[in-house]
């Protein structure tokens, strides 16, 4: 789906979400072009429900699994989320799918210990775009961006 179409969908489902916000940009990235795994656009309407607050958590580590453990250990509030969309960013070089699978298995094992009901619970992966002058080590690390939705209640 083209970026303009994704932006229009985000605005349709959450008209008050500021286009310049980090959440909007990360949703556009998650549902945009270039991911190695197709995402279901129906997850966007489930994620952008009524009476929700959103948070973006960026993690990087030696492996995708390291990122998962950082999320669970350093951000226990993520277990209280209503929904989570996450994407992994591969380091430079070929994608090692077995590493991504290990991270998702670790996520599943950790979450069976904690009662959760994320809806949606979806993930994808993007390849590295190489190094940049501003962040030369970024292309060498494994990264995960988690977009969380919380109920703000009444």
């Amino acid at each position: 789906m083209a970026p303009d179409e994704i932006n229009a969908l985000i605005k349709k489902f959450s008209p008050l979400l500021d286009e310049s916000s980090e959440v909007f940009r990360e949703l556009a990235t998650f549902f945009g072009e270039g991911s190695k795994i197709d995402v279901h656009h129906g997850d966007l309407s489930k994620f952008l429900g009524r009476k929700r607050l959103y948070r973006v958590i960026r993690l990087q580590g030696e492996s995708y699994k390291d990122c998962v453990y950082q999320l669970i250990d350093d951000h226990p509030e993520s277990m209280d989320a209503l929904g989570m969309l996450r994407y992994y960013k591969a380091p430079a070089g070929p994608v090692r799918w077995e590493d991504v699978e290990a991270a998702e298995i670790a996520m599943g094992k950790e979450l069976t210990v904690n009662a959760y009901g994320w809806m949606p619970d979806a993930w994808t992966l993007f390849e590295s775009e190489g190094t940049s002058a501003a962040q030369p080590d970024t292309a060498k690390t494994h990264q995960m961006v988690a977009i969380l939705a919380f109920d703000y209640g009444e």
Side-chain angles (χ1 to χ4, degrees), residues 73-131:
D73 294 342
D74 299 344
H75 303 279
E77 71 279 6
S78 64
M79 299 302 111
D80 295 327
L82 295 175
M84 179 190 283
L85 303 173
R86 61 192 169 279
Y87 66 85
Y88 299 96
K89 189 103 180 215
V95 173
R96 294 180 42 113
W97 289 103
E98 61 273 12
D99 293 347
V100 181
E101 183 179 352
E104 284 299 303
I105 289 169
M107 180 79 81
K109 285 181 179 177
E110 287 298 319
L111 297 177
T112 58
V113 174
N114 302 298
Y116 86 104
W118 292 338
M119 197 61 187
D121 176 16
W123 64 275
T124 191
L125 178 121
F126 293 91
E127 288 184 302
S128 175
E129 297 162 0
T131 61

Side-chain angles (χ1 to χ4, degrees), residues 31-52:
F31 289 100
E33 299 171 333
S35 68
K36 301 301 279 179
I37 299 171
D38 289 337
V39 294
H40 187 272
H41 291 100
D43 286 338
L44 182 60
S45 64
K46 291 177 191 170
F47 190 76
L48 294 173
R50 293 184 40 170
K51 298 183 181 178
R52 291 194 174 178

Side-chain angles (χ1 to χ4, degrees), residues 6-17:
I6 295 297
N7 291 353
L9 273 178
I10 295 169
K11 290 301 277 181
K12 175 184 175 186
F13 296 128
S14 188
L16 299 178
L17 190 59

